[in-house]
Amino acid sequence: MSMDQALLPLQGGCLCGRVRYEATPTHRDGYYCHCRMCQLAFGNTRAAYFNLRKDQVRWLDGPPAYYASSKIARRGFCSHCGTPLSFEFLDGENIDLSAGSLDDPGQLRPTEHFGVETRIAAWHVDDGLHLDALRRCNLGERCSVTELRAQFLSVEAEQIGQRLGTHASGKHTRSTAMAATAVTLAGLG
C-alpha cells in the first residue's frame, strides 16, 4: 500500500456480538502488555492491544460496560459475554483496543512487549520484538515492590507533565504501566 492510500477502518467487537466498534487508526501496529493488571483483566499471561486516539473509535450500538480498574483508568468490556475490549485513562486522549476483539486480528502486527518485568518467563518466547519495562530488570528477574516504588517515584514528575496517557510513542506503554503499578501498590486498583 502506498503512503497516499488511506488505511481502511478496522471492525471489531465482543464474542456475543452485542458490542461492536469501528476503529480508524493511522497505523497497523500492536503490542503486548505483560503488566499484572492486564494479566488479570484478560485472564491471560499478556494482553494484546493497539493504540489510537479516542476520537478514532466509534462504538456502533453504544459503548461497552466499564470497570474502573483504578481511580484514573477504566477497562471496557461486554457486560453480557465478558470480552475485554479496551483500556483508557479517564483524562487521556488515547485508548487501547484489544487486538483479539478485531474481526481480523491479522491486520495488525506486533511491534513490542511492554511490562516485561512482570511477564511470566515460562510463557515467553523470544520473538525479537522490542522489550520495554518499568525499570530495566534482567530478563527473568522479578522487580521487588520496593524497586517498583522507587522507579515510579523517579518518573512521577515526567508522568504528570505527560498527563498520564501516552509517552512519546503514543502507546499504552511507560505511563500506563507506571500508573497501573502505582495504583496497584497504593491498593487503588
Side-chain angles (χ1 to χ4, degrees):
M1 177 184 299
S2 76
M3 296 299 280
D4 296 341
Q5 292 177 312
L7 295 172
L8 294 175
L10 300 173
Q11 302 283 324
C14 65
L15 178 63
C16 72
R18 289 187 183 192
V19 182
R20 299 283 303 156
Y21 64 83
E22 181 177 271
T24 55
T26 59
H27 59 81
R28 292 296 185 259
D29 296 341
Y31 69 97
Y32 299 109
C33 183
H34 297 267
C35 80
R36 188 64 185 135
M37 288 181 78
C38 284
Q39 289 173 357
L40 291 170
F42 277 70
N44 206 332
T45 60
R46 72 191 62 98
Y49 288 110
F50 65 104
N51 183 272
L52 64 164
R53 292 188 327 264
K54 289 178 182 179
D55 65 5
Q56 294 174 315
V57 179
R58 184 170 58 97
W59 299 103
L60 301 178
D61 294 316
Y66 290 99
Y67 170 68
S69 56
S70 72
K71 291 182 178 182
I72 61 172
R74 67 184 185 172
R75 294 171 183 272
F77 65 97
C78 174
S79 63
H80 184 73
C81 67
T83 301
L85 297 164
S86 67
F87 172 88
E88 64 185 289
F89 283 103
L90 299 177
D91 66 350
E93 294 177 13
N94 284 15
I95 185 169
D96 293 300
L97 295 178
S98 60
S101 69
L102 285 170
D103 292 345
D104 182 5
Q107 294 180 61
L108 299 179
R109 65 178 173 82
T111 60
E112 67 181 307
H113 291 270
F114 188 73
V116 296
E117 69 281 355
T118 53
R119 79 167 182 225
I120 301 168
W123 287 88
H124 180 73
V125 175
D126 185 6
D127 53 15
L129 297 179
H130 174 75
L131 302 175
D132 202 359
L134 295 178
R135 72 182 270 285
R136 299 293 181 191
C137 296
N138 292 326
L139 297 181
E141 172 186 289
R142 289 195 171 260
C143 298
S144 71
V145 170
T146 302
E147 291 170 319
L148 288 172
R149 278 190 184 124
Q151 178 69 12
F152 174 74
L153 293 174
S154 72
V155 298
E156 189 174 32
E158 176 187 341
Q159 286 184 335
I160 291 168
Q162 294 174 354
R163 300 237 354 163
L164 288 176
T166 59
H167 78 359
S169 74
K171 296 185 176 119
H172 160 170
T173 55
R174 187 171 314 279
S175 293
T176 300
M178 290 288 199
T181 300
V183 167
T184 302
L185 294 176
L188 304 174

